[in-house]
Amino acid sequence: MSHQPAGQRPAFSPELARVKRVLCFGAHPDDLDFGASGTVAAWTAAGVQVEYCIMTDGDAGGFDARTEAEIITTRHAEQRAAAALVGVGTVHFMGESDGFLEANHKVMKQVVALIRAMRPDVVLAMHPERNWERIQRSHPDHMACGEAVTRAIYPAVENPFSYPELAEAGLEAYKLPWLWLYGAPAARENHRVDITSVFGDKLAALRQHLSQHPDVPAMEAFVRRQCQEQGAIAGFGDGALAEAFHVVAVNAQDTIAGF
């Protein structure tokens, strides 16, 4: 389901755009499970190859006394387990410190390398804009994740002169078709995915992050309510559950160099 503001290019159409490979970015372990794991589960069930990249180790999250090394080990294990439940077997960890993620060239170069290596049809990342209606969505790491990925996608991923050492290593420039952003301000959301049939997988993935959820029933009720609201907005039918995205066509049929 798609609905876009007047004057904008039509949003993503599953009937017209074939998706075979998707690369997903999150700032912390569990971000993708909150924002997009239902959509990921639907993709992998349809045979789409999906990989995750988690930019920070989540080392500043949790509610019990653990060392930083113990927190990192726990959160990596939780994310791998959650990813497996929605059909994702490859999880890259960038290793940045929780709370200190920046859209700098160190991070952007790693993003470019991953995208050029996988050559996905869709890159999925957090939204770079602040959401004033729900500021908790706008953790500085979330916005930095979205900004780093967006900057990397254009122009660096498709510019052979950006990070030339990557091309020398065999990672050639690549024109990405689509960027999907989750955690967007409501005014930016222009595409919704029906996840009713895989909502149980989404909840199962979220339950893997037990170090982050002192009240699992409350968390699940919140997630269900959010997905019900998106299903209603999309008009998917009574009781339908959905995830929402800001979909951007990076290289469409009418795209020319630099415009």
Side-chain angles (χ1 to χ4, degrees):
M1 172 69 181
S2 155
H3 114 113
Q4 67 273 351
Q8 289 191 6
R9 177 189 284 121
F12 181 86
S13 170
E15 294 77 21
L16 300 177
R18 295 191 64 187
V19 176
K20 296 181 179 179
R21 293 180 300 277
V22 178
L23 180 58
C24 303
F25 290 89
H28 314 103
D30 82 4
D31 287 337
L32 280 163
D33 296 300
F34 274 110
S37 59
T39 299
V40 169
W43 269 327
T44 60
V48 177
Q49 177 191 352
V50 181
E51 295 185 4
Y52 282 1
C53 176
I54 310 302
M55 291 183 160
T56 81
D57 284 326
D59 45 288
F63 299 94
D64 54 6
R66 304 188 195 195
T67 67
E68 181 176 309
E70 289 171 335
I71 293 172
I72 292 172
T73 297
T74 296
R75 300 210 67 185
H76 281 207
E78 288 174 341
Q79 183 61 88
R80 287 193 181 96
L85 288 171
V86 293
V88 177
T90 299
V91 182
H92 307 274
F93 292 97
M94 214 174 261
E96 297 294 307
S97 295
D98 190 343
F100 292 86
L101 183 63
E102 295 182 350
N104 56 33
H105 285 285
K106 174 176 176 283
V107 170
M108 288 165 56
K109 180 180 175 181
Q110 293 176 80
V111 173
V112 172
L114 284 170
I115 295 173
R116 288 189 184 180
M118 189 183 189
R119 307 180 91 76
D121 304 295
V122 173
V123 164
L124 191 149
M126 310 194 81
H127 206 281
E129 296 182 31
R130 191 176 303 280
N131 187 333
W132 291 109
E133 293 180 5
R134 182 166 176 74
I135 200 167
Q136 288 83 357
R137 282 189 173 185
S138 303
H139 187 295
D141 287 348
H142 293 184
M143 294 188 295
C145 169
E147 184 66 22
V149 172
T150 303
R151 286 191 201 179
I153 284 170
Y154 186 80
V157 166
E158 61 187 65
N159 185 351
F161 300 104
S162 295
Y163 312 118
E165 62 273 22
L166 295 180
E168 292 169 5
L171 298 174
E172 300 293 338
Y174 170 66
K175 288 184 178 292
L176 175 76
W178 296 96
L179 170 63
W180 289 34
L181 298 164
Y182 62 101
R188 296 291 190 195
E189 293 171 345
N190 60 1
H191 184 71
R192 290 171 177 84
V193 176
D194 189 332
I195 63 165
T196 308
S197 65
V198 292
F199 186 71
D201 297 329
K202 179 181 178 73
L203 288 185
L206 281 164
R207 290 185 196 116
Q208 302 310 302
H209 301 280
L210 290 177
S211 69
Q212 306 304 298
H213 304 312
D215 188 340
V216 172
M219 177 273 291
E220 293 185 357
F222 171 81
V223 171
R224 182 179 293 274
R225 184 167 63 253
Q226 294 291 305
C227 292
Q228 286 173 334
E229 290 175 1
Q230 293 296 344
I233 291 170
F236 286 150
D238 290 344
L241 302 162
E243 290 173 340
F245 302 91
H246 177 194
V247 170
V248 179
V250 182
N251 283 287
Q253 291 183 344
D254 62 347
T255 302
I256 61 174
F259 293 94

